[in-house]
Amino acid sequence: MNYELVQQVKDIVKGYFDNAVIVDDELFMTKERLEEDLEFDNSELEEWNEVEVQTEYAATTDDYTSLGSRPDETNEKFIRDGFVVMPFRYERDRDIKEQLEKLTPVFNNAKLLIIDWNLENLPSTSPTPRGAAALRIIREFAGTEKGIKCIVVYTQEDNLQVVRDELEADFEFIDDHFFQDRNQGEGNSLFGFVFSKREVEPDKIISEMANILIQNKNTMLHLIDIANRFDENLGKAMRRFNAPFDNVLYTQFVTSGLDSDIPQFLNELLTSEILELPQHESEFNIYFKLKIQNLLRVLQEESFTEEKLNDLLAFYNLEGKDVGEYISDALHSRDFKEGLIKLIKETEIRSVQELKAPLIDLVSPYVKKKKKKTNAVKQLIMILFVLDEFIRDPDSFKEQFYKQAYTLTKLMKFYDDYPDKINTGTILKSMSSENYLLCITPWCDVFRLEKIDHMLKFLRGTVVGKVTDILLENNKSNCEYMVVPINGKLQLIKWEFFDVVTLKADELDKNYRKVTNVKRSYIQKIINRYSSYQIRAGVNELFFKESDYVSNFYKQLF
């Protein structure tokens, strides 16, 4: 991996995970605490000084191998590295509930938790398992769903598997020391690591986090970069507006005749200012750059076999098709691979668009017709960008693909709110059949039901048994096909524009249960099509523009 790229990724990670809570029972050791823990006689401490006691402590206990491993030193290292740190000493003789009451408000704003596994200070010979207190604190931290969070568990255990066994009930381990929260269909909001105490260094933690994001979470890394820059621009915008503009703004607002209220006007003013501020010169497409670097590594290692490539082409419904044969021939050609490696190394390609033109030249020996070249290059780029992850673990790739498609569909097109609230775009399911309802009552009427005698209008819908890419193109003028995430499974529902029903609002609870809500932009499209059967949808399902791409995925999802 390119050193400059890795360093930039580390800077992005450090810019986001810039604050930490450190929890350890050995923080801020006092003379009395050391005397109690190490069972020194008073006579031995008469000539007490900090350096001597620390040295004796390190030599006496098996908790630490050197003075540098002390939690106080860990705390100081993070402060020196620019982290905002809150050290919290766990007190073994106090109720953990009282200590959690202090920690929980801090957890709401903390992004990084660094915690000692053996807060109870139990010896290795103790019949009581270590980690009970740490696990409760970790669960509390994990439960604060505010942004992306990271946990670092450090331990003196010789066998890290002991810690892993305890954590596995709550978290999913990806390898020997990296874990994340279990995906419940809403994406992962937390990941973490298990380290030996000797390994807890700020740079090591940032490096491990960067490596995980590079390997498995390119999209999240790009979003973290955006969040960092957004936060930077927010500060700039607030400084620019931190002036006595009240009277001028109020005068302008009143005289301009704007329909919005003053808070909304200020919200829009600040947001537009943040988005329009110029970006720093070093900004580049981190997501694309990482994909290119991962591709370069795969090509240089020649780690993909014919069997795996054919498996990947089959997964994307390309095996046996002309375009699939073109891609297979190219990727098995040494000339093509060497040409692509040279292109990546010698040309600074910043986007998919910049990659297309040189790829057309590279595939020319394998695709003769010009029109077929364009399609082959589009499909080839798709294959190239997933090659690394698919080769690493094909079974995991296929499993995660479905989960990701489910989560992305839900994130992009749907939202959840109160179970008894009916909005424009609410989807209901019949309790007595497999029929569904989609509310198409206008927003203004939904919020003033008394004006429409509490009657709501719905389209009826049913689940499609056999899904094809043709259906997903939504070219029929008398219905709408919609992919809906329901209970962990993607279902294709057909809404008939000629099958409309009007029901009393207070009767819906008796016969229907709420499934989800369609976001405003999507439900508006459906309402427009319902109003005029002749309007073409123009948007394919699953957020792909070309119908060619739809055919790559539908067999994997239904």
Side-chain angles (χ1 to χ4, degrees), residues 95 112 191 414 425 452 519 522:
D95 186 359
L112 179 61
F191 59 97
F414 301 90
I452 56 172
K519 286 187 176 180
Y522 286 95

Side-chain angles (χ1 to χ4, degrees), residues 278-296:
Q279 305 296 341
H280 50 77
E281 294 181 1
S282 62
E283 178 192 349
F284 68 101
N285 189 338
I286 186 75
Y287 180 88
F288 181 80
K289 199 77 172 179
L290 288 170
K291 287 292 185 184
I292 288 292
Q293 289 298 314
N294 286 334
L295 171 60
L296 178 62

